[in-house]
Amino acid sequence: MPVHGMIYTDGPESGSMKPLVLHIPGRPPVPLGGEAQSWTLGRSSQNDVVIPDASLSRHHARISLKDGVAYLEDLGSLNGTSIHGERISSIHPLQEGDEFLLGQVTVRLGEPQQGPRVHIGPDGDTSSSAGSLVLPLERLRAAPIRSEAPGTFRLREVVRELQGLSLELLEDSPPEQLLKHLLDRLWTLLRPWRAAVLLQDANADLHAVASRGPEGHQPILLAHSLVEAALQRKESVLFNILADNQGLASPSLVSSGITSAMVTPLEHQGVVKGLLYLDSHPPRPPFDEEDLRLASTLAHLATAKLEQARMREEAQARKKLDQELDLARHIQQGLLPGFPPEVEGFEVHGNNLPSRQVSGDLFGWWLRQDGQWLFCLADVSGKGLGPGLLMASMQATLEAWTERDMAVNDVAFQLSRAVARHTDGRRFITAFLVLLDPATGRLSYTNAGHNPGLFIRRGGTVDLLESQGLPIGMLPGNPYGTASMTMRSGDLLALYTDGITESADPAGNEFGEAALIDFLLAQRSEPLAAMEARLMEELDRYTHGEPYLDDRTILLVRRT
């Protein structure tokens, strides 16, 4: 795992304007620095600040600097950008401390950290771990702090600070605030010369969340080897300059007057979130092993809080997403047809059972002006909310096109062009379209890359209605074929999605097309609603409780 360098925070040695810092829930502070004067925010990886939240658009908003003032601008996002509870439609100035809402994510423009800058450099330019005390976390936590050892603090003072930090674990305070308090307590207990807390982001880059130092804010120079020890090997390192008899410490470190330094990982249950750094300077004596144990213990407590906060945010996000998906499912169920239509001389039945809250399958029936019925069963590639939205769009299109008396293959052709215009080319729809004339029993169909339809004749023969073109939206402009037949009394048309035939038992064996045909042949004289219910019961028996990985949808039409 690489250790990424250059962490910088504000310090008085810089004559330029202090950098902007964004505070996003569940992440270290995001500094907006460098030569850039504007930064985009959104879900896409092409943004300067990537926020992978479903409520954000791919390119959601922009923050710009003009004459030293920060401005917020919405980039035409779907869910909008709000500040002070009002959705903005024009460029809006920002002040330090302002909170704004991107979709459903709260972002705060915070003040830069007041403390020394932190740099990671080669070992030759800073300190190295040579001649240091290296202790794995298991050994550090194996023995308690010995209050009677020389140079350690009184037990009651240590216990008081531990209790104070433990109480903060019970409070609903922001993680950044807790880490700043961690430095405050270590400042009281260990009296370091400088201290810093650094957190890793999703890209393994380190960011200084808080730092402390004397007047002048001399930069903290962290050796690459020390950072690597904490982040990769999960080791706490104590480096004593005075004990460096071989002259391994760099001249810059010796000239700074530092007598010792230590680094300990911010670790909880094997996961490293960042690191804690402290160094000492006369008149304070060098750190010892007990100081290292104490710093490691406090860092571990703080990291537990960070992990707790992360889990709580994830749980809240999941709950919110579940609520939204339940709402989407409710809306989608309202769009699907209810009771079967009354078609003279025919029996019709359909049902959809989603594997998730939102289904990517569609079935429906629409009466045209010419008296014919248009039936459709379709399956969008992929699963989840995206396919569900695309399916709702296709359903609305079919509803609108009932006024057009087009041939069924022309319907497929126009659908393919419409879908391709409104998707990014990565979604397509397999569909089976049927046009039925109840007066004559004539049935024409187009299979657009879907499973073969099953035409089961009264006598028990089965015709497979194979594909006549590519899935909808795959290559718009390609024509579709069509075929026709006449339904006679007792003939059954069964259309289904592959969620039925691909239902699998615990060994991974799929139900399959042959088993579906055998079942329909045995049940072909039963009422269609009862036939579908028994099929779903048969699938439950076959799968023995294994989860269904895809939506199960079926559409049945029989001439009575």
Side-chain angles (χ1 to χ4, degrees), residues 1 17 19 42 80 95 144 156 215 232 238 246 269 277 293 302 349 360 367 389 406 418-419 433 454 519 527:
M1 180 180 68
M17 191 192 73
Q95 296 180 351
R156 60 184 179 182
E215 293 296 328
Q232 297 186 29
L238 171 59
Q246 301 179 20
Q269 295 183 346
Y277 170 85
R293 291 182 183 277
H349 178 78
L367 178 62
L389 292 173
M406 293 187 294
V419 167
L433 297 157
L454 304 178
F519 177 88

Side-chain angles (χ1 to χ4, degrees), residues 154-167:
R154 295 188 306 272
L155 178 60
R156 60 184 179 182
E157 185 178 4
V158 173
V159 170
R160 183 174 65 245
E161 296 300 331
L162 287 173
Q163 287 176 337
L165 190 63
S166 298
L167 288 174

Side-chain angles (χ1 to χ4, degrees), residues 329 332-333 336-337 349-355 359-365 376-380 391 450-451 494-501 503 516 532 535-536 539 548 550-556:
R329 172 64 178 161
Q332 187 182 53
Q333 285 295 304
L336 291 174
H349 178 78
N351 193 21
N352 163 254
L353 294 174
S355 61
S359 173
D361 286 358
L362 164 73
F363 76 93
W365 38 71
C376 178
L377 183 137
D379 184 0
V380 177
M391 195 52 74
H450 197 72
N451 304 319
L495 308 177
Y496 61 94
T497 59
D498 53 15
I500 290 179
T501 52
S503 299
L516 176 61
E532 181 266 326
L535 174 60
M536 297 307 162
L539 291 177
Y548 293 102
D550 204 355
D551 308 323
R552 290 161 291 154
T553 306
I554 192 166
L555 177 59
L556 303 170

